[in-house]
Amino acid sequence: NDIADEFKIVVIDAMKLLCVKFPQKYSVLLSFLSEALRDEGGYDFKKSIVDAIIKIIDTNPQAKEEGLLHLCEFIEDCEFTLLSQRVLHYLGQLGPTTQNPHKYIRYIYNRVILETPAVRAASVSALAKFAALCPPLRQSVKVLLQRVMQDNDDEVRDRAVFYTNALDSSEEDIKTFIVDVAESTANRRAALNRDKDDELAVAGAAEEAGGEGGGAAAGSSATEQVVR
C-alpha cells in the first residue's frame, strides 16, 4: 500500500507478458491479479489489472470461466463507472459462450438493482446478449428485463423495453438488433484498444532507447521468479 500506483502498474504490465510466456500458470496469475483488485488504487491501476485479466482470458481459453468470475467479483464493489461498464460489456460478449452461462446472470442483474444509471444501462444490454445467444435462458432473462421497465432512468427503461420487444421477434431480428449490434460494438472497442496498445508500444520502445526502460524489465524478471 506504500507503493505508488505507477509502480504497481509496472508490475501489472509485467504480468501481461508472463501470461503469454507461461499460459499454464493462468490460475496463479489470475489469483494474483484478483488480490490486486482488492487493494487500494486509482482508476489507471484498476484498469491495468482488468486489462491484464482480459488479456489472459483472450489468449488462453482454459482461463475463460475463472477469469470471468474474478471480473464478476470485481464489479460487485467497483467504484469506477467506466470499468464496470467495460466488464459488463465483456461479460455480455463472452459469458454466453461458456459452459454454464446462467451463473453470470446474478452478478449482472445485481448491477441493475444497485448501481448508477450508466452501469444499470450496461447491465441491461449484457442481459439481452445472454437472452439472444442462450435460448434456454431467454424466458428467464425476459422476466428480469420486464422488471427493469419500471426503472426511474429513461435510458435504462428504454433499453429494457427495446430488448424485451426484440426478444419477442424472430430469430433473424434478434440476431440483427442484439447480436450483430453487440459484435459491431465489440469490434470497434477492440480496434480502439489495439490503437492504444500500439501507442504504448511505440512510447515504450522510445523510452527504452533513451535508457529509461529498465523498470518494466526488472518488474517482469522479479514477477517471473514468483510465478516459477
Side-chain angles (χ1 to χ4, degrees):
N1 290 331
D2 295 333
I3 302 174
D5 277 5
E6 54 264 31
F7 295 112
K8 293 180 182 179
I9 292 173
V10 171
V11 177
I12 300 303
D13 287 341
M15 298 295 290
K16 294 180 186 178
L17 300 176
L18 291 176
C19 78
V20 176
K21 192 171 183 180
F22 301 104
Q24 73 279 10
K25 299 288 188 179
Y26 71 86
S27 188
V28 176
L29 298 174
L30 286 174
S31 295
F32 174 87
L33 293 170
S34 179
E35 287 293 328
L37 276 175
R38 299 187 182 96
D39 290 345
E40 294 293 328
Y43 172 80
D44 289 337
F45 173 53
K46 295 299 178 74
K47 178 181 179 298
S48 70
I49 300 174
V50 171
D51 288 343
I53 292 176
I54 289 176
K55 185 175 183 64
I56 292 175
I57 296 172
D58 287 344
T59 56
N60 188 349
Q62 290 181 317
K64 183 192 295 185
E65 299 211 14
E66 184 176 345
L68 289 179
L69 284 175
H70 284 307
L71 292 176
C72 285
E73 292 171 0
F74 169 60
I75 61 173
E76 290 279 282
D77 188 27
C78 176
E79 59 184 307
F80 302 107
T81 296
L82 288 177
L83 285 181
S84 291
Q85 289 177 305
R86 184 180 180 196
V87 170
L88 286 164
H89 287 309
Y90 191 69
L91 285 172
Q93 175 188 348
L94 222 59
T97 67
T98 60
Q99 290 185 346
N100 300 298
H102 64 276
K103 65 185 176 184
Y104 304 104
I105 299 294
R106 174 174 63 87
Y107 293 99
I108 297 173
Y109 186 67
N110 282 346
R111 300 307 95 213
V112 177
I113 301 172
L114 302 171
E115 287 287 357
T116 60
V119 176
R120 296 204 305 272
S123 302
V124 169
S125 295
L127 287 173
K129 294 173 194 173
F130 275 82
L133 295 169
C134 304
L137 298 177
R138 189 168 297 169
Q139 191 57 42
S140 299
V141 172
K142 280 174 60 179
V143 171
L144 298 179
L145 292 176
Q146 287 167 355
R147 295 177 186 174
V148 186
M149 289 181 185
Q150 306 303 318
D151 196 275
N152 56 14
D153 182 79
D154 290 343
E155 173 70 16
V156 178
R157 191 169 56 248
D158 289 348
R159 288 196 190 196
V161 172
F162 171 78
Y163 286 128
T164 300
N165 290 332
L167 290 169
D168 284 331
S169 305
S170 65
E171 290 295 328
E172 183 179 353
D173 286 343
I174 290 174
K175 183 178 184 303
T176 299
F177 292 117
I178 300 179
V179 179
D180 290 349
V181 170
E183 288 180 356
S184 176
T185 302
N187 290 337
R188 288 199 300 271
R189 187 177 293 109
L192 288 173
N193 288 335
R194 282 195 298 271
D195 290 343
K196 290 179 181 178
D197 288 343
D198 290 342
E199 290 175 5
L200 290 174
V202 171
E207 188 173 316
E208 186 174 348
E212 299 176 7
S220 177
S221 177
T223 312
E224 182 173 328
Q225 293 299 320
V226 174
V227 174
R228 286 183 183 277

